[in-house]
Amino acid sequence: MAANRAIVVIALTALAPVSWGTTYAVTTEFLPPDRPLFTGLARALPAGLVLLALVRVLPRGVWWWKTTVLGALNIGAFFPLLFLSAYRLPGGMAAVVGSVGPLLVVALSALLLGQRPTVRNVLTGVVAAFGVSLVVLKATGALDSVGVLAALAAAASMSAGTVLTKRWGRPEGVGPLALTGWQLTAGGLLIAPLAFLVEGAPPALDAAAAGGYVYLALANTAVAYWLWFRGIGRLAATQVTFLGPLSPLAAAVVGWAALGETLTPLQLTGMAVAFGATVAGQITARPGAAPAVPEPSRTVPVAAGPPKVRC
């Protein structure tokens, strides 16, 4: 029974990166061009506000600054850096550089969670990055140093956010839905001034663009990040991050199925390699071992108020 429950948790968490793999197709087919910051804002802030309206719970005490830090790492810094790298790097190089995330999580887990890195985890991370490179990498154009640094910073930001989310847990009585709403709102508020400063007023939207933004905010962000943070609470941080390669794999499949793109034998080989590494990353070193950090934490009370949504 425990093994079956673990498989269900892994499968549900995997839906998050699979959903994120649809972002490129939605953005290119339905959204206004050259508005990456506005797109990040439109994904994060409405989703966060909707979740806050559902749970009707706000952070309290130390969770105000913890939420700000997590919102900045997972959303506020990650979205702009990711878009910047995608615009400045050729082909799928941003995805290749970003695929070092699992290795960063392995290192940060050793530092912040006391989880000793294993040879298997390091090799799995290397194999996953190699598989992703076969799927998305195209030999065109020179590398842009700013783009490479932005991709590395995006991977580091998300990796640090994942590990700190695991380390800090949640306040007593607060579910992952509330934690997701807090982070999305905080991250969206951090992106907002940058978006208006760099890109100006919001663009005019037709029905297709409006529908695309609704999809990105609700399914691609609110639901996907809820599943992601829920998974972080129930799985090892390394297990969660090794699901990340599913995002470029899903993007490749969507491009083939919906956009008429071709998949070469080399890309199919890379997909098999990356997927195999993802599966290998779900095998824990000691089956049934207790998580390094209790979830949720039992140290911070929440404010009394209206009924809370449990999840």
Side-chain angles (χ1 to χ4, degrees):
M1 290 295 294
N4 290 337
R5 286 197 297 270
I7 292 173
V8 170
V9 172
I10 291 170
L12 289 175
T13 307
L15 292 177
V18 169
S19 172
W20 297 333
T22 66
T23 304
Y24 174 78
V26 172
T27 300
T28 56
E29 296 299 308
F30 300 108
L31 305 186
D34 302 322
R35 302 304 295 264
L37 292 175
F38 177 78
T39 297
L41 173 61
R43 285 183 66 187
L45 190 55
L49 294 176
V50 167
L51 294 184
L52 287 184
L54 288 175
V55 299
R56 292 178 289 170
V57 177
L58 292 176
R60 187 175 182 181
V62 297
W63 275 95
W64 281 107
W65 70 262
K66 285 185 177 181
T67 295
T68 302
V69 171
L70 294 177
L73 291 172
N74 288 318
I75 309 296
F78 176 68
F79 278 6
L81 288 168
L82 183 66
F83 284 125
L84 177 61
S85 65
Y87 271 84
R88 297 188 68 107
L89 292 177
M93 180 56 70
V96 175
V97 177
S99 65
V100 304
L103 295 174
L104 295 176
V105 168
V106 170
L108 289 171
S109 294
L111 181 64
L112 299 176
L113 302 180
Q115 296 178 353
R116 182 179 301 175
T118 65
V119 173
R120 187 189 64 197
N121 279 343
V122 173
L123 288 178
T124 302
V126 172
V127 170
F130 175 70
V132 169
S133 70
L134 294 181
V135 176
V136 302
L137 191 58
K138 298 177 181 178
T140 122
L143 291 184
D144 179 273
S145 58
V146 174
V148 172
L149 290 175
L152 287 173
S157 181
M158 188 67 166
S159 300
T162 297
V163 175
L164 284 178
T165 300
K166 183 66 179 179
R167 177 179 174 85
W168 287 340
R170 302 190 307 269
E172 182 179 0
V174 171
L177 200 65
L179 183 66
T180 305
W182 296 352
Q183 293 192 48
L184 288 173
T185 302
L189 291 174
L190 291 172
I191 296 174
L194 181 63
F196 287 111
L197 179 65
V198 174
E199 297 179 352
L205 303 180
D206 57 17
Y213 280 123
V214 169
Y215 166 77
L216 290 181
L218 297 182
N220 187 269
T221 302
V223 175
Y225 272 94
W226 166 62
L227 291 172
W228 187 253
F229 293 136
R230 179 178 178 272
I232 291 174
R234 302 186 181 197
L235 301 170
T238 49
Q239 285 181 281
V240 175
T241 194
F242 276 119
L243 295 172
L246 292 177
S247 182
L249 299 189
V253 172
V254 170
W256 167 75
L259 304 181
E261 298 176 358
T262 59
L263 288 175
T264 67
L266 185 63
Q267 287 178 301
L268 293 173
T269 300
M271 293 176 71
V273 170
F275 185 77
T278 297
V279 173
Q282 305 314 304
I283 302 173
T284 57
R286 291 183 298 134
V293 179
E295 178 60 35
S297 66
R298 300 291 179 183
T299 57
V300 184
V302 293
K308 307 170 183 61
V309 174
R310 305 282 183 174
C311 47

